[in-house]
Amino acid sequence: MRVTDYGNAETGSSTFIVESGHYGNECDCCNHTPVRRHLAKRCTSWLLCCTLVVGLLIDLSQGMVHLPLQRRWIGPIRLAFTLLGLPYTVGTCGLRPAISCSPFHLFTTSKTIRPISTSFCNLDLNSIRIMPSSAAPHTKSRCPLYAASKVKRLPVPDDKVDWSKKWPQYAPVSYTDPSVLKKPTWADPDIGDFCLFFSLFSPQFNTVDTGVDRTSFDGSYKVENGKPLNPHGRTGLTGRGLLGRWGPNHAADPIVTRWKVDAKGGTILHSVSKKPVLQFVSIKRKDCGEWAIPGGMVDLGEKVSLTLQREFSEEALNSLTVVASERAKIHERITKLFKLPGFQVYKGYVDDPRNTDNAWMETVAVNFHDESGNSVSKLPLQAGDDAGQVQWVDVDSSFALYASHSHFLELVAKERKAHW
């Protein structure tokens, strides 16, 4: 290839003509052409980078650029690094390596997406992918160690949670707690037990089966080899674990709240948000030591409204052990509060550490608010049933809770226009 300058003496202009072919001592091998093109591209890239650096230095000398980098420099820097074939990640804290040591996690729920990490400098702007709530993989249902046991789940990566993703090598651990296998009244028999070629237990799923509600709040779920499949995907463990029922295990969670008041009875406002502070009755679970909303399983044929009242009385007020006269007073106040129109906070699947591939938790969470503070607020709290401790706790996003309970309280705070 030869470049010839045909200059015009009168105008002082030049016209460059590029002529292809071999001239002089140029190699006869045309395979060198890609090499030349590559070298030319690299030279152009380095020149562009030098130009960018010079421009950036000029702006720095004039006080025009401050860290984090101005947005107008991000595009050119990305272009330069791409031309040079170098990895890059540009965030609001400037230029950094493409591998982040502190990934930015998202806590996804059916209605909200809230970041756990508050460090925006760890945010990789090129890797954020907000999934629809219906596709959000459950996390607590995949905790490495199954609840209240030494059984380890098979690790399930995010991209393999959904049943639609093929995974021929999937071989989860099978586990059902011994307390469940003893066949208590609240638990199903095991599927797969046969007698004279007949199955001893063949439940009907996605319907009410001999008084047991096997329908899901999420709609119809799949059944494979006679066993139901968790509608939210793989968990790394089959069987029932600590849960009694195959398929959905229905619970009810009463969220009893009041306003936090000072010694004179005035509502206390949060120092930062300037919103009134809610308090709720919280119990400390004996099985895992986490704080939670008092609640429990819906008994066979029991209405959810009765479950809500019963569970709160048993776990937060220890109504089963008090004398008859005190029990009557508790029942009167509880009935008065629970007759008020409650706010249904949530109804559906719960991301619970007890979940398995074949058994999972679903709940109805209802908020009962003691507006005047003269109802349940006057009753002495006393831990009972599955609770280790019980107390009134300020509703705040920093307070860690069991399973999906933090999300429930966030919805209550928004509904009551309270601090979160």
Side-chain angles (χ1 to χ4, degrees):
M1 180 179 68
R2 184 171 62 186
V3 180
T4 306
D5 180 7
Y6 294 91
N8 189 319
E10 296 181 359
T11 62
S13 61
S14 296
T15 303
F16 294 92
I17 302 297
V18 180
E19 300 172 279
S20 61
H22 295 289
Y23 293 89
N25 295 325
E26 286 189 6
C27 178
D28 294 337
C29 180
C30 62
N31 291 333
H32 284 199
T33 301
V35 176
R36 294 194 190 94
R37 290 176 179 172
H38 174 73
L39 291 173
K41 179 180 178 181
R42 299 291 286 186
C43 291
T44 304
S45 301
W46 282 110
L47 285 172
L48 176 59
C49 282
C50 291
T51 304
L52 287 170
V53 170
V54 171
L56 182 59
L57 290 173
I58 292 173
D59 276 8
L60 282 169
S61 66
Q62 296 176 354
M64 295 173 62
V65 176
H66 305 277
L67 293 178
L69 291 175
Q70 285 190 350
R71 291 184 180 273
R72 70 190 188 91
W73 279 106
I74 293 177
I77 290 175
R78 281 178 173 169
L79 175 60
F81 273 65
T82 300
L83 289 172
L84 292 173
L86 298 175
Y88 69 89
T89 298
V90 179
T92 57
C93 294
L95 192 65
R96 59 182 179 81
I99 299 175
S100 172
C101 296
S102 302
F104 184 88
H105 299 282
L106 292 178
F107 172 77
T108 54
T109 63
S110 59
K111 293 186 178 180
T112 59
I113 298 178
R114 180 170 59 86
I116 290 177
S117 171
T118 56
S119 178
F120 194 68
C121 290
N122 291 333
L123 177 60
D124 184 343
L125 298 178
N126 299 306
S127 63
I128 287 184
R129 183 170 61 90
I130 300 177
M131 293 179 295
S133 58
S134 60
H138 42 195
T139 54
K140 293 189 177 182
S141 299
R142 292 181 289 150
C143 54
L145 199 64
Y146 186 78
S149 76
K150 295 181 180 180
V151 178
K152 294 182 179 180
R153 297 177 186 265
L154 176 73
V156 180
D158 288 354
D159 61 346
K160 291 293 192 298
V161 170
D162 198 293
W163 292 110
S164 64
K165 305 295 183 181
K166 294 183 179 180
W167 191 5
Q169 298 82 13
Y170 183 58
V173 179
S174 180
Y175 174 69
T176 299
D177 192 79
S179 63
V180 178
L181 293 175
K182 289 179 181 179
K183 300 180 181 179
T185 56
W186 48 267
D188 290 332
D190 210 17
I191 294 177
D193 290 343
F194 291 89
C195 181
L196 298 175
F197 305 104
F198 293 98
S199 176
L200 295 176
F201 182 63
S202 300
Q204 300 298 310
F205 296 108
N206 290 302
T207 187
V208 178
D209 177 38
T210 60
V212 178
D213 186 1
R214 301 190 190 278
T215 62
S216 170
F217 294 136
D218 283 4
S220 181
Y221 50 87
K222 295 180 180 179
V223 179
E224 189 175 275
N225 298 324
K227 296 180 180 179
L229 291 182
N230 189 315
H232 283 245
R234 299 180 176 95
T235 67
L237 189 141
T238 59
R240 285 173 289 162
L242 289 166
L243 301 179
R245 304 294 182 191
W246 293 97
N249 289 253
H250 294 290
D253 294 314
I255 306 173
V256 176
T257 57
R258 70 180 184 184
W259 295 114
K260 186 177 183 178
V261 296
D262 56 25
K264 296 181 180 179
T267 303
I268 295 177
L269 302 182
H270 191 266
S271 59
V272 178
S273 67
K274 305 302 179 183
K275 292 182 178 180
V277 177
L278 271 176
Q279 292 185 317
F280 77 105
V281 175
S282 180
I283 63 166
K284 191 172 186 179
R285 296 177 62 100
K286 289 180 180 178
D287 56 357
C288 62
E290 292 185 82
W291 287 93
I293 298 166
M297 309 306 296
V298 179
D299 288 343
L300 188 66
E302 185 179 38
K303 291 184 178 180
V304 172
S305 57
L306 293 177
T307 306
L308 291 164
Q309 184 173 330
R310 173 178 59 79
E311 286 294 335
F312 183 80
S313 300
E314 292 176 3
E315 293 198 359
L317 302 173
N318 200 17
S319 61
L320 296 178
T321 61
V322 298
V323 297
S325 58
E326 287 297 320
R327 192 181 307 158
K329 292 179 181 178
I330 291 174
H331 179 74
E332 182 181 354
R333 291 201 178 186
I334 289 292
T335 302
K336 182 180 179 181
L337 176 66
F338 279 71
K339 277 186 176 180
L340 297 174
F343 161 55
Q344 182 173 295
V345 180
Y346 180 84
K347 183 178 181 180
Y349 178 92
V350 180
D351 185 18
D352 193 290
R354 295 170 292 180
N355 291 350
T356 73
D357 285 3
N358 309 121
W360 59 91
M361 288 296 302
E362 297 190 7
T363 194
V364 177
V366 182
N367 174 220
F368 297 96
H369 183 62
D370 186 4
E371 181 68 31
S372 63
N374 295 322
S375 182
V376 180
S377 301
K378 299 296 183 181
L379 291 173
L381 299 179
Q382 183 178 350
D385 198 15
D386 295 329
Q389 299 178 40
V390 59
Q391 64 187 50
W392 288 97
V393 176
D394 292 357
V395 175
D396 190 278
S397 60
S398 63
F399 190 68
L401 289 171
Y402 178 78
S404 303
H405 293 186
S406 290
H407 177 53
F408 300 164
L409 285 170
E410 181 181 7
L411 297 177
V412 171
K414 289 181 178 179
E415 176 69 17
R416 303 290 177 190
K417 294 179 174 57
H419 166 72
W420 173 249

